[in-house]
Amino acid sequence: GAAGGYHPLDGGTLPDYLAKLENCASILGGNPSEWHVDEVGDGNLNLVFIVRGASGSLVAKQALPYVRLVGESWPLPLKRAFFEHEALITQIDCVPDLVPAVHHYDDVMALTVMEHLTPHIILRKGLIAGNLYPKLAEQISEFMAQTLFKTSDLYLSAKEKKQRNAVFCDNDALCKITEDLVFTDPYRVAELNRWTSPQLDDTAARFRNDAELKVAVQSLKEAFMGRAEALIHGDLHSGSIMVTETETKVIDPEFAFYGPRGFDVGAVIGNLFLAYFSQPGHAGNGQDRVAYGEWILTQIGEIWERFQSRFLQLWESQGQGDAYVAGLFEELDSAAAFAAYRRTYLQDLFHDSLGFAGAKMIRRILGLAHVEDLESIEDPDRRAACETKALALGRILIVDRKTYENMASVISYARQLQ
Ligand code: ADP
Ligand code: MG
Ligand code: MG
Ligand code: MG
């Protein structure tokens, strides 16, 4: 680590680094030699430190030049820290209460110092524990409606939208991870794939030879690659959401780029369905987890309904962008036609979201990166039973997405599978 150049920090060097930043030092308080550093990164990619001082705490997140989950053999650009910070400050503009505050950003060190969310826990862990989050549906749908509306051509000028899109086009390395791991590898023989074996061997082989499914997934992949609708978070699973009973905060937007809105909505919904199908695997000690599964299904319905109505409301009240120019629909019949069109637009977004939800579910069972909801079910037969149902829903969400008129029908189908 030459002075001034990038070098990974650790518990020894981070306090010296932070001591030089006036605002960070004052949040921590007291003597830097007494600041306590824990490395808590449980994610797949980066270093995350919690630093505690005499008067407060903060989080420092630093990118590594490789994929942490795999090791130095899989290089990954440090520039993802730049995209994460860019996305985070855009989200702060849209929904300041639903993301951590930023204290400091260092481009060379690929490092962001941010608010320490406490006592928040990762939503995925809360769903495994069986906790209820009464504000989750309202707050996560607000996050999605605001960010997916206010970064789009419905709200921004054409020039600004194109300039913002151009900034994020360079995040191609992280996009490629999604293109490969979500949309491609689970449907072919790939070295990094794994699944509960031998229980799911036949299912995995069937998915690799399912022509209808593969065509449908590739159409979703092309939508992911080509449709620059809005700045999407790009990794909005339940491990990127931190919660308390009253607060919801979204973290980890390093995969952000201009893509299809349904990818974010689908990530939330798909991961909630994974949590739902994992519930029987967490039953025990007199708890059957049936009521909790029903609570998850209710949240899925509520998230879609709230997202849809909030998004439409934002469009109606703030649709000042260069798409659908204001004033063009003033006559009564034009206004009615435009209102009907907005409903169709949301229905298309619904179908996209279902398709992406399905793709997100399947990749977590047949691909490289799995989820704790299912991995924590120790008995492989029991886990495979949960995974088989989740795979069945995932497949239907992809191939039949356009036949569903509302989330209630999707939810009844999921309940039938369970
Ligand atoms: P990665 O990109 O490597 O997945 P994340 O941003 O998801 O890293 O962070 C990894 C973990 O660190 C999270 O699961 C969470 O437990 C913790 N974490 C990250 N940011 C914060 C924060 N602002 N406050 C509290 N904990 C955080
Ligand atoms: Mg993460
Ligand atoms: Mg990063
Ligand atoms: Mg990440």
Side-chain angles (χ1 to χ4, degrees), residues 83 86-95 142-168 227-234 253 256-262 264 307 311 314-315 318-323 345 349:
F83 298 111
E86 277 300 306
L88 184 49
I89 59 179
T90 304
Q91 292 161 354
I92 288 171
D93 276 345
C94 298
V95 280
E142 177 74 4
F143 174 88
M144 295 191 293
Q146 292 279 0
T147 58
L148 299 175
F149 175 78
K150 288 194 171 151
T151 58
S152 78
D153 288 300
L154 304 180
Y155 180 76
L156 299 175
S157 72
K159 186 178 174 68
E160 190 178 0
K161 156 74 177 347
K162 284 177 170 61
Q163 285 173 339
R164 296 299 293 158
N165 183 16
V167 168
F168 284 92
R227 278 170 33 195
E229 296 170 356
L231 181 64
I232 65 172
H233 177 285
F257 79 113
Y258 276 74
R261 297 181 179 93
D264 278 357
F307 168 77
F311 190 94
L314 289 168
W315 195 352
Q318 298 180 62
Q320 65 199 39
D322 281 337
Y345 188 105
L349 176 44

Side-chain angles (χ1 to χ4, degrees), residues 147-365:
T147 58
L148 299 175
F149 175 78
K150 288 194 171 151
T151 58
S152 78
D153 288 300
L154 304 180
Y155 180 76
L156 299 175
S157 72
K159 186 178 174 68
E160 190 178 0
K161 156 74 177 347
K162 284 177 170 61
Q163 285 173 339
R164 296 299 293 158
N165 183 16
V167 168
F168 284 92
C169 277
D170 207 22
N171 203 9
D172 59 304
L174 273 76
C175 289
K176 174 126 173 70
I177 291 179
T178 302
E179 290 151 21
D180 291 342
L181 296 188
V182 176
F183 295 109
T184 313
D185 285 355
Y187 306 94
R188 66 178 174 186
V189 174
E191 209 184 313
L192 296 171
N193 285 344
R194 60 189 184 85
W195 53 80
T196 303
S197 181
Q199 288 83 350
L200 296 185
D201 288 358
D202 290 346
T203 308
R206 237 187 312 114
F207 273 53
R208 290 195 301 268
N209 290 292
D210 186 333
E212 187 188 9
L213 176 62
K214 286 198 291 183
V215 169
V217 172
Q218 294 318 290
S219 82
L220 288 166
K221 179 180 179 181
E222 195 195 352
F224 177 81
M225 297 174 78
R227 278 170 33 195
E229 296 170 356
L231 181 64
I232 65 172
H233 177 285
D235 200 21
L236 195 51
H237 54 80
S238 50
S240 297
I241 301 171
M242 297 192 73
V243 287
T244 65
E245 252 187 50
T246 55
E247 288 193 339
T248 305
K249 306 269 184 180
V250 173
I251 62 166
D252 196 13
E254 68 192 313
F255 282 78
F257 79 113
Y258 276 74
R261 297 181 179 93
F263 192 75
D264 278 357
V265 182
V268 170
I269 288 168
N271 278 272
L272 285 172
F273 275 126
L274 287 175
Y276 172 68
F277 285 111
S278 75
Q279 289 306 314
H282 304 308
N285 301 323
Q287 286 189 307
D288 62 13
R289 303 288 287 248
V290 171
Y292 191 65
E294 282 301 314
W295 179 82
I296 295 176
L297 292 183
T298 304
Q299 304 319 300
I300 293 172
E302 217 178 288
I303 286 168
W304 173 255
E305 289 310 321
R306 283 175 177 276
F307 168 77
Q308 162 167 272
S309 59
R310 187 74 172 119
F311 190 94
L312 279 170
Q313 185 194 21
L314 289 168
W315 195 352
E316 281 157 24
S317 60
Q318 298 180 62
Q320 65 199 39
D322 281 337
Y324 316 103
V325 172
L328 205 59
F329 301 98
E330 274 174 354
E331 315 82 18
L332 266 185
D333 59 337
S334 299
F338 186 39
Y341 171 75
R342 288 196 299 263
R343 303 299 302 194
T344 309
Y345 188 105
L346 265 293
Q347 202 59 7
D348 289 346
L349 176 44
F350 176 61
H351 294 148
D352 288 349
S353 304
L354 295 183
F356 288 125
K360 295 286 231 172
M361 294 172 73
I362 292 171
R363 65 82 58 121
R364 295 298 194 179
I365 300 171

Side-chain angles (χ1 to χ4, degrees), residues 379-397:
D379 174 3
D381 289 326
R382 214 169 160 200
R383 181 169 69 244
C386 298
E387 290 172 330
T388 299
K389 295 172 194 167
L391 285 172
L393 181 68
R395 183 187 182 281
I396 288 299
L397 290 181

